[in-house]
Amino acid sequence: MSDKSIVSELLSAWEETYKKGQLTFWVLLALKESSKCVEDIKDFVENMSDGSMSCEEQSLYRNLRKFQHLEIVSYECKKVSKGPDRKYYHLTEIGKELFRRFTERNILIFTKKSINNLLID
Amino acid sequence: MKILTFRLGQFAVAALFITVLFRYALHISIGAGNWVGNSLCSIVYFVLMFFIGWYFGKKDYADNGIHDIGFRFHITTYIVCIGLGFLLYYVGWNTETPGSMAITALSWGIGLLVHFILFLMEQKRTIKGYAKDEIFE
């Protein structure tokens, strides 16, 4: 096996592990921007992550239902021109606080100059 | 924790339907003194109840992810089976005697109580009924 293919395989394995738990971050980030329906959340996640994250609508619905019971998100129904009313989700106060504290502890650390310099080096 | 879910409702309706059918078949079978028929009814009833519990339980977990180690489905089964058993006896169907049903209710009730204790212990691993390690994907 060549070095290149080993790196590719290792990268896939690492990314698979790394992406576990990432969907929540992207979903909450999407809702931090503005309230969205499931289709909009899916588009946001795929576009903003440059396609590195993908998600099934079914999986999003399951997660949003769970987050709603946990009072992380809430929704309101809005009328659309065609079909049934659509659910637009938004972050609750608990959701905002949870997201703020999570990003503070786990994401913003990468914006530190010393780490940033290492990353772009 | 969300207790009543759509799938649990579907399961309760299906269990109710199957239990009425079972009790009716038992009523006919006991009336005819057919002991093989009685045993056959019980086996088919057990298999059907197991199957619908497995089917709707799996769907319920996929929809809601509630971590209750099957306790909501168990207590629903208990209420339907025992409750309907007594009800149909007093309606006048041939079925088990009240004494036999009381023994079933008591022994099953002890099993249900053990399940409830395990359920309470398991709740320490959850937040509002969701397993902590399964909340975030």
Side-chain angles (χ1 to χ4, degrees):
Chain A
M1 195 183 270
S2 68
D3 282 358
K4 214 171 181 178
S5 67
I6 289 174
V7 170
S8 295
E9 277 202 34
L10 287 171
L11 183 63
S12 299
W14 188 4
E15 280 183 341
E16 204 174 299
T17 307
Y18 178 73
K19 281 176 187 172
K20 281 179 189 161
Q22 290 254 325
L23 184 61
T24 301
F25 170 77
W26 285 101
V27 170
L28 299 190
L29 185 66
L31 297 181
K32 189 184 182 225
E33 186 192 53
S34 62
S35 71
K36 289 180 175 63
C37 63
V38 166
E39 291 81 0
D40 293 345
I41 296 172
K42 183 174 160 47
D43 288 344
F44 178 95
V45 171
E46 289 175 357
N47 292 333
M48 294 295 270
S49 67
D50 287 339
S52 75
M53 284 296 296
S54 61
C55 47
E56 298 295 321
E57 281 188 16
Q58 196 62 29
S59 158
L60 281 176
Y61 277 116
R62 193 179 58 242
N63 274 288
L64 287 165
R65 207 177 299 130
K66 199 160 46 179
F67 294 162
Q68 189 205 326
H69 294 153
L70 288 162
E71 296 175 52
I72 296 170
V73 304
S74 185
Y75 70 85
E76 55 188 30
C77 291
K78 287 185 185 172
K79 287 195 185 305
V80 286
S81 53
K82 277 183 184 175
D85 290 359
R86 201 170 271 186
K87 285 179 180 175
Y88 276 77
Y89 293 89
H90 60 266
L91 292 178
T92 60
E93 287 308 312
I94 292 175
K96 284 177 190 167
E97 174 71 2
L98 174 71
F99 188 72
R100 187 188 64 76
R101 288 177 63 176
F102 179 85
T103 48
E104 213 170 77
R105 287 158 62 131
N106 301 283
I107 307 291
L108 295 180
I109 192 166
F110 293 108
T111 61
K112 270 173 74 177
K113 204 176 174 193
S114 54
I115 294 179
N116 212 3
N117 286 343
L118 282 171
L119 285 173
I120 58 174
D121 186 23
Chain B
M1 181 204 285
K2 189 172 180 180
I3 295 169
L4 299 174
T5 57
F6 177 63
R7 299 295 182 186
L8 183 66
Q10 283 184 317
F11 168 74
V13 171
L16 211 67
F17 181 69
I18 292 170
T19 305
V20 170
L21 279 184
F22 164 65
R23 291 285 171 187
Y24 183 70
L26 205 62
H27 164 70
I28 301 290
S29 186
I30 289 174
N34 182 353
W35 302 112
V36 177
N38 296 349
S39 308
L40 203 67
C41 284
S42 305
I43 293 166
V44 171
Y45 178 60
F46 171 79
V47 171
L48 282 177
M49 287 299 283
F50 178 82
F51 176 76
I52 62 162
W54 177 77
Y55 178 78
F56 288 113
K58 210 172 162 185
K59 291 259 181 200
D60 187 68
Y61 190 75
D63 286 353
N64 303 297
I66 297 169
H67 186 78
D68 71 340
I69 56 169
F71 183 71
R72 288 174 308 126
F73 277 69
H74 189 176
I75 197 166
T76 304
T77 312
Y78 181 84
I79 292 167
V80 169
C81 293
I82 302 294
L84 215 55
F86 277 107
L87 186 76
L88 294 176
Y89 173 81
Y90 288 110
V91 162
W93 286 18
N94 287 319
T95 181
E96 302 160 77
T97 61
S100 151
M101 283 193 289
I103 290 170
T104 308
L106 190 69
S107 48
W108 188 353
I110 292 168
L112 191 66
L113 185 68
V114 171
H115 196 169
F116 180 63
I117 292 166
L118 293 174
F119 162 76
L120 286 182
M121 285 163 69
E122 199 62 22
Q123 290 309 293
K124 288 177 187 161
R125 229 168 56 76
T126 69
I127 299 173
K128 290 191 178 181
Y130 294 99
K132 285 178 189 172
D133 54 357
E134 290 171 12
I135 293 175
F136 300 110
E137 293 178 19

